[in-house]
Amino acid sequence: MRLSAVVGLGTVFLATLAMAQGGKDQRRSGYQDMSPALQRMQDDDTANPAMLYVQAGEALWKQKAGASNKACVDCHDAGSMKGVAARYPAIPSGADKPVDLEGRINLCRTGQQKAAPFDAESEELLDLAAYVARQSRGMPIAPADDPRLASFRAHGEQLFKERQGQLNLSCANCHDDNAGKKLGGATIPQAHPTGYPIYRLEWQALGSLKRRLRNCLIGLRAEPYDYSSPEYVDLELYLMDRARGMTIDAPAVRP
Amino acid sequence: MANVLINAPKTVRKGETIELKALILHPMETGFRPGANGQLIPRNIIEQFTATWNGVEIFRMKMSPAVAANPYVSFFAVAKESGTIRFQWTGDRNFSAEGSVMVTVT
């Protein structure tokens, strides 16, 4: 009797709590978990080191390349990539598999410019990705409404929640269950990909979401997928959906 | 061509103290790290950074292997006359880069 009363009260309390939080977004981007000094560094375009790469990307955008001797700007006006980073990964026309932003850039490179694709994580690819992503800064993440993406996204979610590696942990174990707590000296972020490619101070360089995911996989003592693996794209699809509506702050600075 | 970002106010009052910030893309390879093949990666750092205001040196800094990649330098100067502030980086492998800004002193 007393027990059920307690349980009943508990339920009422939980319901009130849920109501009080109703509609309020509990999601936090990595930006909100950074120190004010780092936030200022990111916000100041002349202090954010990622802007060096954006500058290089802008130059590359105008540089002719490949057998067709075309530059990106010959098809896409400078600044016409607004919103693209907020939407990707997506399935390009004529294809049946999703590609991420870097993959899309390389598709243009091989298909339109008739040039060799950039290597994964190469400086040129990151430069261009940063230049494109910068144009979506301030926009809400809005994944493509393509029904064909659903199965890939579901696979991404499965990967996110699947235990792996010698430590037998899933992404969700840290980033869903224990986000906000500490791992070593660092705050565990909720893993929302709002700012990629990021300038990570630990790397002293710009890096893609793939590099960041590899970092976590190595941390789990799991074998990282190869850079060309579709797993990364599926995971990114799920993460972008999970972060739907959050603001893009690319290219971000992270500790 | 090196990639630099410079932040300085465009117009300042005479006698005002202004902050000048300069960021440059550079690996700052220490020379102490082994590469994938086990051999040490040769040192490649910026050795010196200088700033001149209308040709007069206002700031000089010697950099060491302990400085992180893409060094960011911020310093203060008193505005005396309108002109060009020139920033210069020199280092290993004949590295040389330059950037400049125009500042109007009123």
Side-chain angles (χ1 to χ4, degrees), chain A residues 23-206:
Chain A
K24 190 162 173 261
D25 202 341
Q26 297 295 308
R27 294 177 301 177
R28 289 172 69 81
S29 77
Y31 177 83
Q32 290 164 291
D33 287 333
M34 291 199 304
S35 69
L38 278 184
Q39 291 180 350
R40 277 200 301 276
M41 184 182 185
Q42 174 177 323
D43 292 339
D44 180 354
D45 274 351
T46 51
N48 182 343
M51 292 308 291
L52 293 167
Y53 298 81
V54 172
Q55 243 180 24
E58 190 177 0
L60 271 177
W61 195 260
K62 295 170 187 157
Q63 192 180 304
K64 295 192 187 298
S68 57
N69 199 29
K70 276 202 280 191
C72 307
V73 75
D74 292 337
C75 294
H76 315 280
D77 293 336
S80 63
M81 292 288 113
K82 204 168 155 56
V84 172
R87 188 163 53 83
Y88 264 73
I91 301 177
S93 57
D96 54 356
K97 282 195 175 67
V99 294
D100 55 11
L101 196 57
E102 284 93 354
R104 188 71 192 84
I105 290 167
N106 262 340
L107 276 182
C108 261
R109 187 140 169 100
T110 50
Q112 305 295 325
Q113 294 183 310
K114 311 261 183 265
F118 293 124
D119 290 338
E121 223 54 28
S122 62
E123 190 142 326
E124 291 93 340
L125 191 54
L126 289 168
D127 289 347
L128 282 170
Y131 175 64
V132 171
R134 173 71 178 82
Q135 297 171 38
S136 296
R137 190 186 268 188
M139 298 180 73
I141 291 179
D145 282 328
D146 188 337
R148 292 175 296 170
L149 288 174
S151 61
F152 298 102
R153 193 173 286 142
H155 182 228
E157 180 170 6
Q158 185 211 326
L159 289 171
F160 189 82
K161 295 183 172 162
E162 188 175 79
R163 286 179 183 269
Q164 54 182 325
Q166 285 181 327
L167 298 188
N168 199 28
L169 287 168
S170 73
C171 311
N173 284 151
C174 283
H175 300 290
D176 276 350
D177 305 344
N178 288 298
K181 295 184 190 161
K182 296 281 182 183
L183 179 65
T187 305
I188 302 175
Q190 293 181 0
H192 295 299
T194 56
Y196 286 88
I198 57 168
Y199 188 92
R200 200 167 180 224
L201 299 183
E202 188 186 314
W203 295 335
Q204 298 190 21
L206 200 71

Side-chain angles (χ1 to χ4, degrees), chain B residues 33-55:
Chain B
R33 297 194 313 154
N37 60 1
Q39 302 286 312
L40 285 184
I41 305 171
R43 195 183 91 156
N44 178 20
I45 66 165
I46 296 172
E47 285 173 319
Q48 187 162 277
F49 166 71
T50 54
T52 55
W53 194 319
N54 283 345

Side-chain angles (χ1 to χ4, degrees), chain B residues 4-68:
Chain B
V4 298
L5 279 173
I6 290 163
N7 185 0
K10 286 206 168 53
T11 56
V12 286
R13 281 195 308 277
K14 195 174 167 78
E16 201 179 334
T17 305
I18 58 170
E19 187 177 12
L20 302 165
K21 304 175 199 167
L23 181 64
I24 185 168
L25 192 74
H26 195 281
M28 293 298 284
E29 188 57 58
T30 62
F32 300 119
R33 297 194 313 154
N37 60 1
Q39 302 286 312
L40 285 184
I41 305 171
R43 195 183 91 156
N44 178 20
I45 66 165
I46 296 172
E47 285 173 319
Q48 187 162 277
F49 166 71
T50 54
T52 55
W53 194 319
N54 283 345
V56 181
E57 186 172 281
I58 53 168
F59 185 86
R60 186 196 308 173
M61 175 181 176
K62 196 170 173 281
M63 294 197 189
S64 72
V67 175

